[in-house]
Amino acid sequence: MAGGNFMGADEGGCEYPGKLTRYVALTCIMAAMGGLIFGYDIGISGGVTSMDPFLKLFFPSVYRKEALDTSTNQYCKFDSQLLTLFTSSLYVAALIASFVASFVSKKYGRKVTMFLGGLFFLFGAVLNAAAVHISMLILGRILLGVGVGFANQSVPIYLSEIAPYKYRGTFNVLFQLAITVGILIANIVNFLTNKISAGWGWRVSLGGAAVPALVILISSLFLDDTPSSLIQRGKSEEAEQLLKKIRGVDNVDAELKDLVEASEASNKVEHPWKVLLRVRKYKPQLILSTLIPTFQQLTGINVIMFYAPVLFQTLGFKANASLMSAVITGAVNVGATFISVYCTDRYGRKVLLLTGGVLMCVFQALVAGLIGWKFGTTGVVATVLPQSYAILVVLCICVFVAAFAFSWGPLGWLIPSEISPLEVRSAAQSVTVSMNMLFTFAVAQVFLKVLCWMKSSLQPLCS
């Protein structure tokens, strides 16, 4: 994988006349806010599943094991397929929704797809906040998943198509930055709502998802569609005016000509899925769109992001301490993403992927060793965990999270979105989203069960 020069075939790597306008910067920031809904959900689910009132109402068997049964192995306190289904059901819905979103994105544009993503997410947030039965929770999670599938399919493509070639990597990383900000906000919300003595704090946490939903919903109303999407839908004159607006110059003939040619080639492709899967020249894009999100999830990052509070409680941290530790890792996640914002277009994709992969592998092994040293396979620790041990575990997890945040996190979305030509771009992005969601679902569904089964000997695969 070459470092630093991925592009869609329609751009050809050319630097067209133009400059980075204030309008483009603002537009990209607004569009990147689509990452907030994905990030908020990742952060919120693990927090509410560590709250006693939530567990008492929906998962009483887990509550009994976690709070009342001291004989239960520490690794197995949260082992419940129903509990993991609450977390992972969203990602099955997102997987399926991404294929529908591919069609919507090509036929109606990126802007409409983002709007629908925010709308579905809003409905899901309201349903979850009002839930009185597990079925309402799961249905709400499915609606959230549809929203995530639509947003994750459209936002990275939007950013790649609207940003000038020179700044594409930087602006696309804003999507991952928004995800990390969403995770951090969710962790802070969980920490604060857990202090509500009346026991309804979890409703605030789950209902809070309506805020990022409204952000992307309202933002999408003020965004222009991308020139590529407009041309693809036969609106060439509108696309030309938009190009002049976003590039800040009147001379956009060369870029417009290339976009029109790419669109004409795209329109000749009646079945982009068949072309992507069967035509040999698109095999590199198909392979990368499949493997990059797969390896991104097999790093094990979402075990930390989903289950950080649960994992810290498993290690013996008290409820508030576990939520605060999750806040700390969330803050590190946000901070380290700025490294990628700065370095992606300066040093290239390959350098960041390799550096992050090595660091993740080393510090993940250290976390496994520390857990095994203290708990062994019995899951029982005879004394209160010393503060130095707790700090060391959190520190190793923070380094692991930081390494992901500047490498496989943002680049796992950036690279697939910028390597595919226009005629197969929506289909290729759906492959990326679906593979990401498939392995996210698998990790979320099996981790707590496998943790109980294999004890400390299991940590997620090194990247």
Side-chain angles (χ1 to χ4, degrees), residues 130-431:
V132 294
H133 188 270
I134 186 65
S135 59
M136 291 181 68
L137 274 183
I138 300 301
L139 180 58
R141 294 288 291 174
I142 290 172
L143 290 174
L144 292 173
V146 174
V148 167
F150 270 70
N152 285 10
Q153 205 282 339
S154 55
V155 173
I157 291 179
Y158 185 94
L159 293 171
S160 288
E161 291 181 343
I162 205 79
Y165 169 75
K166 183 178 179 181
Y167 300 100
R168 184 180 304 146
T170 298
F171 280 113
N172 213 301
V173 170
L174 290 178
F175 177 65
Q176 176 65 19
L177 179 62
I179 293 176
T180 63
V181 170
I183 294 171
L184 176 59
I185 291 172
N187 289 335
I188 294 172
V189 169
N190 281 334
F191 178 74
L192 296 175
T193 58
N194 190 51
K195 296 178 179 294
I196 298 176
S197 58
W200 45 265
W202 62 269
R203 293 190 185 275
V204 178
S205 292
L206 294 178
V211 176
L214 287 171
V215 170
I216 185 60
L217 201 62
I218 295 171
S219 294
S220 65
L221 294 176
F222 293 95
L223 295 175
D224 289 307
D225 220 324
T226 69
S228 293
S229 179
L230 290 171
I231 292 171
Q232 195 171 29
R233 290 179 286 130
K235 301 179 180 180
S236 298
E237 291 184 5
E238 191 176 335
E240 182 179 4
Q241 295 305 313
L242 178 59
L243 267 179
K244 292 178 180 179
K245 181 179 180 181
I246 64 178
R247 299 295 181 246
V249 295
D250 290 329
N251 180 20
V252 295
D253 294 344
E255 185 172 4
L256 181 65
K257 178 176 177 291
D258 285 349
L259 290 175
V260 170
E261 289 177 355
S263 178
E264 290 173 351
S266 173
N267 290 334
K268 292 177 183 178
V269 179
E270 295 183 6
H271 304 288
W273 279 101
K274 289 183 180 179
V275 171
L276 179 64
L277 295 173
R278 295 178 183 178
V279 177
R280 185 178 181 84
K281 75 173 184 176
Y282 299 120
K283 284 295 185 287
Q285 286 89 344
L286 177 61
I287 291 170
L288 287 175
S289 294
T290 301
L291 293 183
I292 288 176
T294 299
F295 290 135
Q296 183 194 55
Q297 290 310 306
L298 290 180
T299 62
I301 186 63
N302 278 336
V303 168
I304 303 297
M305 294 295 104
F306 291 150
Y307 297 123
V310 169
L311 190 59
F312 286 127
Q313 275 192 257
T314 298
L315 293 175
F317 291 56
K318 300 302 181 183
N320 279 335
S322 68
L323 290 170
M324 176 51 73
S325 298
V327 171
I328 293 171
T329 58
V332 169
N333 195 18
V334 173
T337 304
F338 283 100
I339 298 175
S340 188
V341 172
Y342 179 80
C343 295
T344 296
D345 288 323
R346 287 175 172 83
Y347 302 110
R349 283 66 163 155
K350 186 175 181 179
V351 171
L352 293 179
L353 288 175
L354 290 174
T355 304
V358 170
L359 286 172
M360 281 189 285
C361 204
V362 169
F363 281 88
Q364 199 169 63
L366 286 174
V367 171
L370 287 168
I371 294 174
W373 167 60
K374 205 67 183 178
F375 290 93
T377 58
T378 64
V380 177
V381 61
T383 59
V384 176
L385 289 175
Q387 186 179 34
S388 58
Y389 171 85
I391 292 173
L392 187 58
V393 170
V394 173
L395 180 62
C396 288
I397 290 176
C398 283
V399 176
F400 169 79
V401 169
F404 178 86
F406 72 71
S407 60
W408 283 85
L411 299 183
W413 292 107
L414 168 61
I415 294 172
S417 72
E418 64 182 359
I419 60 175
S420 298
L422 185 62
E423 61 266 26
V424 294
R425 186 173 296 162
S426 290
Q429 183 66 12
S430 290
V431 171

Side-chain angles (χ1 to χ4, degrees), residues 429-448:
Q429 183 66 12
S430 290
V431 171
T432 299
V433 175
S434 61
M435 294 304 296
N436 187 290
M437 296 303 144
L438 176 63
F439 281 91
T440 300
F441 166 77
V443 168
Q445 189 65 27
V446 306
F447 173 70
L448 293 178

